[in-house]
Amino acid sequence: PTPTPTPTGQPYNLGNVPFNYSWPEPPVTTQTVDVDTISELQSAVRTNGARVVVAPGTYTGNISVTGSNVDIVMPRNATIQGGITFGGSSTLTQNIRWTGGNMTTGPINIGSNVNDLLINDFNGSTNGTTNNWTGPFNKVALINSTLEIAGADWAIYTQPEFPAGTWLPKYDLILANVRLNSRGVQTARIQAIHRLIIVDSAFNPDGTGTNGLRIHGHSRDVYVANSIIRNMFQMNFTSHADLVNVENGTFRNVARYEATQGFSLNVSSNTGTVNNSPLYTTAVSANIGGEAIIAPFTGSNNIQYRWDGITVPSTSHIGAQR
C-alpha cells in the first residue's frame, strides 16, 4: 500500500491519535556555527540561537545542551564518545532539535526545565548508566532513532517526582519509529506522562533483556500502535504504590512476544481499550486461538498464538539506519 504522507508541519505521521497533543516547537536560529573539535561543540550547544553544524569524526567528551533555540546537525559518520545531557539547570532550556549522529558510552539524559526537544535519526549506545529522563519536561519527541543499553537497566527511564507524596506529570512524550534494546534486565520504564504516544516502535526485539516496556505512575492519555514488545509489558503497581498506572489508554496492533499471558493489566483502576493486538506465547496453558487476557481494559481481536520463543518479525527497518 502507498504510505500515508506525514501531515504538513509535523515531523512524523503518528496516525489517528485519539486525543490532542503537541509536537515540540522548532528552534529559531540566528547564527550558524561550524564545529570540528569537542571544545567547539561543547561551547556551541550552550549558545542561544545557534545552528550547530558538526563535521564528520569522533568527539570524545560529554555534551551539556543548555542553550535555547539550538539546532544541532550531525552527519551519520560523526560520533560522540561520551554522554549527552539536555537542560538540568534552573534556567529553562527550550526549542532544541538534534538531528543525526551517534553516541557511545553515554548516557543520554534529560534534566530539569526542558521544553520542546526533538531528537531525530540518532543512534546511541550506553554502557553502565541509565538513560535518565528526569525532567520535569514538556514536549519531548524521539523519532527514527535507536537506543541500546548494556551493563545497566533502562534505555529510557522517566523519573517521577514526589512533592508531598504526589507525582508531577510530564506532558507530551512521543516515540515514533524507535528501537530500544537492553542487554541487562529492563528496557524502558515510562512513568507519570500525560499524553504518551508510541508508534511504529520495537522494545527489546533482540530478546536480550527481560522486560520490554513498563508504563507506571498515572500516565494519562496513552496511545500505543503498530509496535512490537518482546518479553514483559507491565502496567501494574510498582514499589511507589501508584493509585493508577494507565488512564485512558488506547492500544492498537501491539504485538507481544513473551512467555506469559495477559498485559499485566489486572489493576482495576487502569482504563482504556486494546484491539487487534496479538499475543505470541510459549505458555502451555495459553488459550491458543482465543482472546488474550486484557482485563480491566476492553476490546477485541487480541488473539493468542503459539510462539517458538525465538522468532519475531524483522525489525531492521525500525530506528536509526546506519
Side-chain angles (χ1 to χ4, degrees), residues 292-303:
I293 299 168
I294 61 171
F297 286 5
T298 60
S300 62
N301 198 30
N302 306 298
I303 306 302

Side-chain angles (χ1 to χ4, degrees), residues 60 67 96 111 128 130 172 182 196 204-205 211 238 247 255 268 271 283 292 298:
T60 302
I96 308 299
T130 295
D172 296 295
S182 171
L196 168 63
N204 190 38
N211 284 359
T238 71
E247 179 183 352
S268 61
T271 61
T298 60

Side-chain angles (χ1 to χ4, degrees), residues 28-32 48-51 69:
V28 178
T29 59
T30 57
Q31 60 179 310
T32 297
N48 292 339
R51 183 174 187 268
N69 288 296

